[in-house]
Amino acid sequence: MKHGFSSPAERQECENGIQMRDYRSVSETQDKSTFNNQTAGPGSPASSEGTPDAPVVKPVIRAAAAKRANASVIGMMIALVVSVAAFLPIVLMNPSPKSDGYRPNVNVSAVAQNAAGVAGFTPVTPEAGDTFRPNYARWESGTGSGVPTWEVGYLTPKESFIGLVQTARANPTWLLQQTKNAPVTGSRNAGGLEWELRDTGKGERSMVLAHKGTTVVLTGTAQLDEFAVLADAVVKSLESNPAATVSPSAAPSP
């Protein structure tokens, strides 16, 4: 729509009026926006969006549900106590057997008698009392070493070990092997005879005796007093047996 103006002044006055109306419209819009923000409460959607700490809803267990849960726990505890009480008398009436461990039943005399036919001498069967328990007795043909031997192992009263080896074909190399290359550290009398004493210095020692055609070596970790008891029994067994019929190839130095 076109307006006719009689002069430029009228046209300028009309444009000024239009601009004033636009300014009033913008001002009214801003005033309404400010009023709405101020009147919005904390529970309104506009305010809740900027609230960082919203309250956490905690579940509430009803009294009946809590009572049922407690009853289940108590029932389990009662059942456990009843089960233990039922089995406890059975356990008490059947105590575990007291045992000193496995003790093999080794008949040294019987094994020695079987070995005597091939040994060429009567193997020693020392009687050192019940406190020295044999855990093996055997005849070794000496296929690898060339030295056939009679061997018996003993557990001592102090729970140590002494191994007995007897042969009629001892030699220096074999003797060093039996004594773990231990040097001669002295001698000790047992059974009325002088035994050669060797010690590795690492807790293992040996007593060596050459008598009546055979060589006997005692080696182990036991104390010398236990060695002496077994050595004394060995001498008694040697004295009761005939001399060896096979000549030894070598004997340990005294």
Side-chain angles (χ1 to χ4, degrees):
M1 180 177 180
K2 296 182 179 180
H3 299 278
F5 298 99
S6 58
S7 65
E10 291 180 356
R11 182 176 181 178
Q12 183 67 34
E13 183 179 355
C14 181
E15 290 178 355
N16 291 339
I18 293 173
Q19 291 178 357
M20 290 296 292
R21 286 195 299 271
D22 292 340
Y23 291 152
R24 284 195 299 271
S25 177
V26 172
S27 178
E28 290 176 358
T29 302
Q30 291 178 348
D31 292 342
K32 290 181 180 180
S33 176
T34 303
F35 176 77
N36 291 335
N37 290 336
Q38 291 177 351
T39 57
S44 63
S47 63
S48 62
E49 292 178 357
T51 304
D53 298 329
V56 179
V57 179
K58 296 182 179 180
V60 178
I61 301 176
R62 295 183 178 181
K67 186 176 181 180
R68 287 195 299 270
N70 292 336
S72 300
V73 174
I74 295 173
M76 292 175 61
M77 294 178 64
I78 293 175
L80 179 61
V81 172
V82 171
S83 300
V84 173
F87 284 100
L88 187 59
I90 299 175
V91 175
L92 294 177
M93 288 187 295
N94 295 275
S96 58
K98 296 181 179 180
S99 175
D100 295 332
Y102 174 68
R103 292 187 179 185
N105 185 17
V106 180
N107 191 332
V108 178
S109 298
V111 180
Q113 186 176 1
N114 293 333
V118 295
F121 60 89
T122 303
V124 293
T125 55
E127 296 291 339
D130 295 336
T131 54
F132 282 79
R133 306 188 304 271
N135 59 356
Y136 66 83
R138 62 197 177 209
W139 172 256
E140 290 289 341
S141 62
T143 303
S145 64
V147 180
T149 55
W150 165 245
E151 301 177 358
V152 186
Y154 288 95
L155 298 177
T156 71
K158 297 179 181 179
E159 300 301 326
S160 294
F161 175 80
I162 299 177
L164 181 154
V165 181
Q166 182 184 19
T167 184
R169 298 185 180 275
N171 60 67
T173 301
W174 174 86
L175 187 58
L176 286 174
Q177 292 174 347
Q178 295 300 313
T179 59
K180 310 296 177 61
N181 295 320
V184 178
T185 57
S187 62
R188 187 178 182 91
N189 187 284
L193 299 176
E194 288 295 319
W195 291 66
E196 182 182 82
L197 183 61
R198 300 189 179 208
D199 199 322
T200 62
K202 299 179 180 179
E204 196 165 15
R205 54 189 58 87
S206 300
M207 290 180 64
V208 183
L209 175 68
H211 187 61
K212 298 182 70 171
T214 66
T215 300
V216 179
V217 181
L218 303 178
T219 302
T221 57
Q223 298 299 317
L224 285 177
D225 58 339
E226 292 185 315
F227 267 92
V229 173
L230 185 58
D232 183 75
V234 169
V235 171
K236 291 179 180 179
S237 180
L238 282 171
E239 296 294 354
S240 64
N241 295 336
T245 58
V246 178
S247 299
S249 59
S253 58

